[in-house]
Amino acid sequence: MEATTIQSTRQPEPIILIQETTLTGEEQAQFKKLTLVWLTTALALFPILVILGLLMRGSQAAILKMSPELFYAFMTLHGLGMVGIWYIAGMAGAGLLLSRYVRPSLALSRGVFWATLVAVVLLIVATLIGKFITGWYFLYPLPLYPADVWKPWATLAFFAFLTIAGVAWTLWTVDYLRAIASRYSLKRALAWDVLFKKVKESDVPPMILILTVSLISALAGFLAAVVLIALFAAEALSSGFTNDALLMKNLVFYFGHVLVNITMYLGVAMVYELFPAFAEKGKLTTKWMVAAAWNASLLLVNLAYFHHLYMDFVQPGLLQKLGQIASYLVSVPAGVVTIISVLSLAFGSRMTWRLPSLLFFLGVMGWAIGGMAAVVDSTIVVNFRFHNTLWVPAHFHTYYLAGVVFMILGFAFQYAAELSGKAENLRLGRWLTALLTVGAYGFLSMFFYAGAHSVPRRYAVYPSEVHQGAGYAQVAIVFILLILTGVIIYLWEYGRRCVHAFSAHSH
Amino acid sequence: MPVQQIAFLVWLLFAIIIAAVFGIIGWRSRQKVDVSPARVNRFRILLLVILLVLSVIFWAYTLPKVPYPTEARQPDMVVFVTGKQFNFGIATHPMPTEKEWEEVVNFGEPVVLPRNKLIEFRVTSLDVNHGFSLYDPDHLLIGQVQAMPGYMNRLRYRFTKPGEYTVLCLEYCGNGHHRMRGAFTVQ
Amino acid sequence: MRARFFCTLTLIGCLTMPLAAGKGTSAGLAGQPLKPGIPREDFYIFRKIPDAPVFTLERQTSIYRLLEKGPLLFTLVYTRCNGVCYPMIRSLRSAVERLGGLGTDYRILVLSFDPRDEPEDMAAMARVEGLSGHPHWIFGTTGPENIRQLVASVGYWRQPDSLKQQVNHPAVLIGLNRNGQIVRFLVGASIAPARLAEVIKEMRGEFVPSYPLPRKNVIFSCFQYQADKGLKLNWGFALLLMPGVVTLGGSLWIFHRGAHQRRSAPGGF
């Protein structure tokens, strides 16, 4: 990895990390441009979805008055939207990094982009106009009980969104796997040669291992969604066929859990690939510990979702306990391996902290803190009192907002900076990171605190028994405004670089 | 100390340790120090072993305490709970139909439960999934179970604190989710 | 002659929806709210049934004396029945044979609710079903007043049909614990082994934290228990495994296809 030497100036040139690819000529230019379009689309939607979150907290804080239908429409759109944008940004970024070793399909990525746009429009129409307000998980049989709130066309639009996005993203996933398979055997991609001690370490980068693990898992998650949608359709179209509520719940959490988990891993893959260069150290290699931890994740990610069903006593007790054990084992090894890698890279490195490396570093920290909160909640006795309280959004917002979102923001900024060649303002980078971090943890702490004080999640307004929730929401609003300010400054800096890159291209 | 508080403090402790370690390492990135990969690896294994041992201790402590009883002790009282958009019917008799549910919700006497007795809640739903929760007189969430259509879930609880208990819905069930509630008294 | 039993069978038909074998859903009660008159477990749970003498060909005993030796599966029949009684005993027998535990965990008491039945008639019924002299199947009669009390205590009913000279009645299997309390109910002529397993578990002193309610047309349920064999797979579970299995196959296929490219590409490994 050729990392340019860092000058001790306040405004150094960006280091060139991402740009080299196996693609050539026009195809490479097109691929880079498409990646930028993907990232920019996701980033442009980000502040809008943050504002939806802000409005929801405003309603909970009893500051804003809105109809429950509007609140729950925002909630549905915010949830699916956020998972969606970070998934596509993560996948687009992963595609660019993959293209350094293998050749993902440009045409397919382009097709998926248009399909995604159509899906997004359908989602917005279904939720904001059609008031299809079932929450992201459209838990069976709620979509079949519209109670005059939404019309059949809204249900149709929502399931069309799911189907189009599902098919497009499945194809995207399969294409990445195909690209990896064109260079690496499954044994090497999953580092089984290292795992079974055939070799001491593998020259297949850890990023490939993590992506292979993620993509295979994502495929299983999408297929669970296919089964789910098919069963919904079967019930809607046939007369007399009824689904089993337990099976449907298992399927939706299988799909949802895996998708969210995978998005996190996409960010982690970026960190593995790029952070060593920021720390001015050689690339990470795939050693036994790394191989073992990520293979354990592959094995267990299919079982961890059981923790969503702890309060369904009909689920066999054995699976519940298995869920607790799997939830610990899926996060602890991969987390420890990653955290120690990143810490050891930073330690004594005399690295220059730039915006991307700061966000990567803090993103891993957010993953760890959020992961710890997840582990606490995946303990059945604790879940008995935390399930569907604000503790749940607390933990996943931690590893999303302060975790994978930080990582992807870091990645996107690095990419735009490289393309533009514009100097980086280190001081601004630090202030911006501080703003985002303070905003994020302030906002999150209110979720955690409310969860520990029995405040339920998904409430448009709080009844008197849990009125304390309103106070926490008021405090949270201040911090969300900090986040929003940070995001706007970030987007300004990012946007300037994109514009610069494009105008440089056209010259 | 309520479970929530213990869980919160455990998490907070870990979160502070994690943040401190990241802070210190971030600070120590300013000086040049050479670290041998072997040392890092040893440290990684040590940390992993510690965390796995901690996990096993956690499991050994928490898994036997799951809220799914295994022993079929005779409950002292059976209470039936039926959820339906957007109310909980709570009664000492079952409500298999909408009509009976409406009667309980509209005209039913509030259920009074004895203290220190084993109470069994038989919880189900007539429409979508709901979450049956127990908020004690101090509004502390002390337990819950899902109300799932097509299934009867059995939650057992022994109340020690007398007073008014509230039931809030803990599974999103539509535009009236936050309004959905029920109540009973423990004497 | 068969047409005679039509009415009884219609009733049974609406009480039982034997889905494909192994589906485990108990009597589907036409999905709608249960009609009054069909015994429903919720209403009778943990109530004590009254004691009653039991007359068999060999001896005279009583329900509570039988309970001293352990829990009982209890059902009411009549020997002249041309409808549900014999098929139910047959179904129960096959379920019990599959599950095991008879004699150790529980015994089965089949009582006649027809005052005309004599212990000889019940013995004949046992013989017809191949259970004659079985130590753990008790076929007996009781007194007319006892019948009335028992029928009332479990929400059972009898409706004479003079036209067909039959008595319409539901098919109910009741799990009694050692105290004579009703632990579980199963309604319907077709005894699903998975449901019976739950009843047996409960009678044995194990807690079953959840059970499915009678439903219509549910084909893909998820998990089912069998008392001694643990989890039982069915179609719902297969659907849950499908994504994992297809992904495994799909991934292997993608990498298998890639092998060709890897060989031909110069930079390949």
Side-chain angles (χ1 to χ4, degrees):
Chain A
M1 186 74 261
E2 73 283 43
T4 51
T5 41
I6 306 296
Q7 302 93 358
S8 54
T9 59
R10 286 219 172 278
Q11 304 219 334
E13 298 286 305
I15 46 178
I16 302 301
L17 295 179
I18 303 173
Q19 295 228 26
E20 34 150 337
T21 70
T22 58
L23 307 172
T24 47
E26 183 56 17
E27 196 188 0
Q28 168 159 294
Q30 293 286 329
F31 198 85
K32 286 183 177 178
K33 201 169 133 194
L34 183 60
T35 306
L36 200 64
V37 170
W38 270 117
L39 291 171
T40 307
T41 309
L43 290 174
L45 291 170
F46 180 39
I48 299 170
L49 295 171
V50 172
I51 288 170
L52 292 185
L54 178 70
L55 294 175
M56 285 194 282
R57 281 312 246 164
S59 169
Q60 292 176 329
I63 294 172
L64 283 179
K65 261 203 157 51
M66 66 175 83
S67 70
E69 289 78 21
L70 191 62
F71 178 92
Y72 292 121
F74 286 171
M75 184 184 85
T76 308
L77 183 56
H78 174 89
L80 282 165
M82 282 292 194
V83 171
I85 64 168
W86 299 115
Y87 184 74
I88 59 172
M91 281 292 279
L96 191 67
L97 293 178
L98 266 184
S99 73
R100 310 167 92 177
Y101 307 94
V102 296
R103 297 168 68 111
S105 160
L106 174 67
L108 189 109
S109 178
R110 205 173 268 156
V112 173
F113 179 77
W114 289 112
T116 303
L117 276 195
V118 172
V120 166
V121 171
L122 282 167
L123 173 64
I124 292 172
V125 169
T127 52
L128 290 189
I129 301 170
K131 292 283 183 292
F132 183 84
I133 52 168
T134 59
W136 75 262
Y137 61 156
F138 51 99
L139 187 61
Y140 175 85
L142 188 53
L144 308 174
Y145 284 80
D148 291 334
V149 175
W150 65 88
K151 296 272 177 301
W153 69 259
T155 312
L156 209 64
F158 183 82
F159 278 91
F161 145 75
L162 274 183
T163 310
I164 293 172
V167 169
W169 296 357
T170 306
L171 290 175
W172 209 8
T173 307
V174 169
D175 179 63
Y176 281 10
L177 276 175
R178 174 208 57 78
I180 293 173
S182 70
R183 178 160 171 185
Y184 306 105
S185 66
L186 189 62
K187 257 184 275 176
R188 292 200 3 104
L190 288 175
W192 289 350
D193 46 355
V194 187
L195 191 63
F196 299 112
K197 308 247 172 161
K198 296 252 165 54
V199 289
K200 201 151 179 291
E201 56 186 270
S202 168
D203 55 340
V204 180
M207 183 201 70
I208 296 286
L209 164 65
I210 299 170
L211 283 183
T212 310
V213 166
S214 306
L215 295 166
I216 291 176
S217 310
L219 207 53
F222 285 131
L223 286 173
V226 169
V227 178
L228 184 66
I229 294 170
L231 288 176
F232 260 112
E235 180 161 341
L237 300 178
S238 81
S239 59
F241 167 71
T242 315
N243 276 298
D244 179 272
L246 180 68
L247 174 63
M248 299 297 265
K249 207 180 233 183
N250 269 281
L251 284 168
V252 77
F253 283 115
Y254 190 169
F255 152 69
H257 180 85
V258 166
L259 188 64
V260 168
N261 220 155
I262 283 347
T263 309
M264 185 72 235
Y265 291 169
L266 294 175
V268 172
M270 292 171 178
V271 174
Y272 266 92
E273 184 70 4
L274 299 179
F275 195 75
F278 282 111
E280 297 173 65
K281 296 198 177 162
K283 277 195 176 184
L284 286 173
T285 51
T286 306
K287 296 203 182 67
W288 189 85
M289 286 285 275
V290 177
W294 287 98
N295 275 285
S297 290
L298 177 64
L299 201 67
L300 294 169
V301 77
N302 289 309
L303 299 177
Y305 87 90
F306 289 141
H307 61 224
H308 294 269
L309 287 106
Y310 285 158
M311 292 305 113
D312 290 292
F313 289 10
V314 56
Q315 186 94 338
L318 184 73
L319 296 186
Q320 309 283 35
K321 292 179 180 178
L322 196 65
Q324 176 168 339
I325 293 170
S327 302
Y328 278 57
L329 290 183
V330 79
S331 41
V332 172
V336 166
V337 165
T338 307
I339 290 159
I340 299 296
S341 294
V342 168
L343 288 177
S344 69
L345 285 170
F347 184 76
S349 62
R350 277 189 79 189
M351 64 193 286
T352 305
W353 287 98
R354 296 154 182 264
L355 182 63
S357 51
L358 276 172
L359 287 173
F360 281 169
F361 190 70
L362 290 171
V364 173
M365 183 181 92
W367 181 32
I369 293 174
M372 191 57 217
V375 164
V376 166
D377 191 29
S378 70
T379 312
I380 299 171
V381 259
V382 178
N383 191 263
F384 192 47
R385 289 169 174 224
F386 272 174
H387 185 73
N388 281 345
T389 67
L390 281 176
W391 187 273
V392 182
H395 90 263
F396 70 69
H397 276 85
T398 309
Y399 62 65
Y400 244 72
L401 176 60
V404 69
V405 174
F406 273 25
M407 294 172 189
I408 294 175
L409 287 180
F411 176 87
F413 192 86
Q414 171 63 27
Y415 186 48
E418 276 185 39
L419 287 179
S420 72
K422 265 177 94 72
E424 283 181 52
N425 185 336
L426 295 184
R427 180 178 286 180
L428 181 70
R430 275 173 206 163
W431 277 106
L432 183 54
T433 310
L435 188 62
L436 287 171
T437 307
V438 171
Y441 283 95
F443 156 72
L444 294 167
S445 64
M446 287 303 110
F447 269 165
F448 279 115
Y449 207 62
H453 286 85
S454 311
V455 181
R457 73 188 286 205
R458 298 192 178 113
Y459 268 38
V461 284
Y462 293 118
S464 61
E465 288 81 5
V466 287
H467 63 90
Q468 67 271 27
Y472 305 139
Q474 286 162 9
V475 179
I477 286 175
V478 177
F479 290 104
I480 300 174
L481 289 172
L482 290 186
I483 298 172
L484 202 58
T485 315
V487 170
I488 289 166
I489 298 171
Y490 172 94
L491 283 179
W492 173 256
E493 290 294 311
Y494 169 85
R496 279 198 320 152
R497 283 168 174 77
C498 289
V499 171
H500 195 266
F502 272 107
S503 53
H505 263 289
S506 51
H507 286 311
Chain B
M1 196 160 31
V3 175
Q4 283 98 323
Q5 214 167 327
I6 300 171
F8 181 76
L9 291 176
V10 167
W11 167 76
L12 193 64
L13 178 72
F14 274 91
I16 289 172
I17 293 172
I18 293 167
V21 168
F22 272 78
I24 292 166
I25 303 280
W27 189 255
R28 290 295 300 275
S29 70
R30 294 150 58 97
Q31 299 136 6
K32 192 82 195 157
V33 186
D34 278 322
V35 206
S36 77
R39 238 184 101 192
V40 173
N41 218 31
R42 270 202 302 277
F43 187 69
R44 201 184 335 234
I45 290 171
L46 182 71
L47 185 63
L48 200 58
V49 168
I50 290 173
L51 285 177
L52 287 179
V53 169
L54 270 182
S55 298
V56 172
I57 294 171
F58 251 62
W59 296 335
Y61 181 69
T62 60
L63 282 179
K65 295 189 181 196
V66 294
Y68 328 117
T70 48
E71 194 194 340
R73 268 208 60 220
Q74 186 79 44
D76 297 303
M77 194 172 168
V78 180
V79 178
F80 293 88
V81 179
T82 301
K84 188 181 167 308
Q85 286 174 331
F86 295 101
N87 236 319
F88 283 106
I90 303 173
T92 48
H93 61 83
M95 294 145 275
T97 66
E98 217 160 288
K99 197 170 141 268
E100 285 144 311
W101 177 84
E102 266 167 16
E103 254 164 46
V104 167
V105 166
N106 295 326
F107 310 110
E109 290 288 313
V111 169
V112 179
L113 303 178
R115 214 165 7 136
N116 296 323
K117 299 273 186 197
L118 186 62
I119 311 291
E120 176 171 320
F121 293 96
R122 295 204 163 198
V123 183
T124 188
S125 165
L126 288 176
D127 48 21
V128 301
N129 284 282
H130 301 282
F132 171 72
S133 63
L134 301 170
Y135 279 82
D136 79 359
D138 301 324
H139 309 318
L140 177 76
L141 176 61
I142 53 173
Q144 59 176 305
V145 66
Q146 291 271 308
M148 195 189 241
Y151 289 96
M152 185 67 95
N153 287 331
R154 301 164 70 184
L155 171 68
R156 293 183 158 196
Y157 206 90
R158 201 182 284 274
F159 294 95
T160 50
K161 204 188 280 180
E164 299 294 319
Y165 284 70
T166 313
V167 176
L168 297 177
C169 184
L170 285 188
E171 188 67 68
Y172 177 67
C173 58
N175 60 342
H177 168 56
H178 57 282
R179 286 191 278 113
M180 182 158 170
R181 58 202 296 116
F184 59 88
T185 309
V186 172
Q187 255 173 13
Chain C
M1 274 306 264
R2 293 261 166 206
R4 274 190 171 194
F5 333 133
F6 187 70
C7 184
T8 318
L9 284 176
T10 321
L11 176 71
I12 303 320
C14 93
L15 288 179
T16 59
M17 283 263 309
L19 299 169
K23 224 36 69 49
T25 331
S26 78
L29 291 163
Q32 273 101 35
L34 302 176
K35 295 179 191 79
I38 294 172
R40 186 162 152 149
E41 168 181 298
D42 311 354
F43 289 91
Y44 299 96
I45 200 76
F46 297 131
R47 287 202 198 169
K48 261 189 161 176
I49 66 160
D51 198 9
V54 175
F55 307 107
T56 72
L57 213 49
E58 296 89 22
R59 58 183 165 161
Q60 182 190 340
T61 175
S62 82
I63 296 183
Y64 277 73
R65 230 174 292 154
L66 287 170
L67 283 168
E68 281 166 14
K69 288 189 184 163
L72 282 179
L73 269 180
F74 169 58
T75 187
L76 287 162
V77 298
Y78 77 113
T79 56
R80 287 170 190 78
C81 184
N82 287 321
V84 67
C85 294
Y86 289 86
M88 188 189 74
I89 300 290
R90 218 164 298 147
S91 174
L92 178 61
R93 182 187 157 180
S94 85
V96 161
E97 278 168 4
R98 268 177 73 179
L99 294 171
L102 180 63
T104 51
D105 295 336
Y106 62 97
R107 289 179 302 157
I108 298 168
L109 172 62
V110 184
L111 270 191
S112 168
F113 64 76
D114 186 349
R116 292 174 297 175
D117 276 336
E118 294 293 331
E120 290 78 17
D121 299 315
M122 292 304 284
M125 186 181 207
R127 209 161 37 245
V128 169
E129 293 305 326
L131 293 162
S132 194
H134 196 294
H136 305 305
W137 281 80
I138 301 140
F139 284 80
T141 61
T142 187
E145 180 54 21
N146 301 109
I147 291 174
R148 206 193 52 74
Q149 288 176 359
L150 277 175
V151 161
S153 73
V154 298
Y156 202 81
W157 49 266
R158 297 159 296 166
Q159 193 183 59
D161 186 335
S162 51
L163 198 71
K164 301 188 177 74
Q165 297 180 325
Q166 283 280 301
V167 180
N168 289 336
H169 65 94
V172 180
L173 187 65
I174 296 159
L176 297 175
N177 66 14
R178 278 167 175 272
N179 303 328
Q181 283 164 311
I182 297 169
V183 175
R184 289 291 300 270
F185 255 45
L186 287 183
V187 180
S190 165
I191 309 290
R195 292 285 80 76
L196 182 63
E198 290 179 356
V199 180
I200 294 170
K201 250 185 139 175
E202 197 99 3
M203 290 198 305
R204 207 161 51 190
E206 284 173 52
F207 184 72
V208 181
S210 177
Y211 55 88
L213 296 169
R215 285 168 296 169
K216 184 178 72 166
N217 292 343
V218 177
I219 303 174
F220 302 118
S221 60
C222 232
F223 305 106
Q224 308 269 320
Y225 280 118
Q226 276 190 352
D228 300 313
K229 301 186 183 92
L231 268 182
K232 189 186 131 201
L233 304 190
N234 59 14
W235 285 110
F237 197 64
L239 277 180
L240 202 53
L241 287 179
M242 195 281 277
V245 173
V246 173
T247 300
L248 188 70
S251 306
L252 288 173
W253 178 74
I254 291 169
F255 278 89
H256 178 74
R257 264 189 88 238
H260 180 72
Q261 255 178 305
R262 290 197 294 274
R263 274 194 297 275
S264 55
F269 291 80

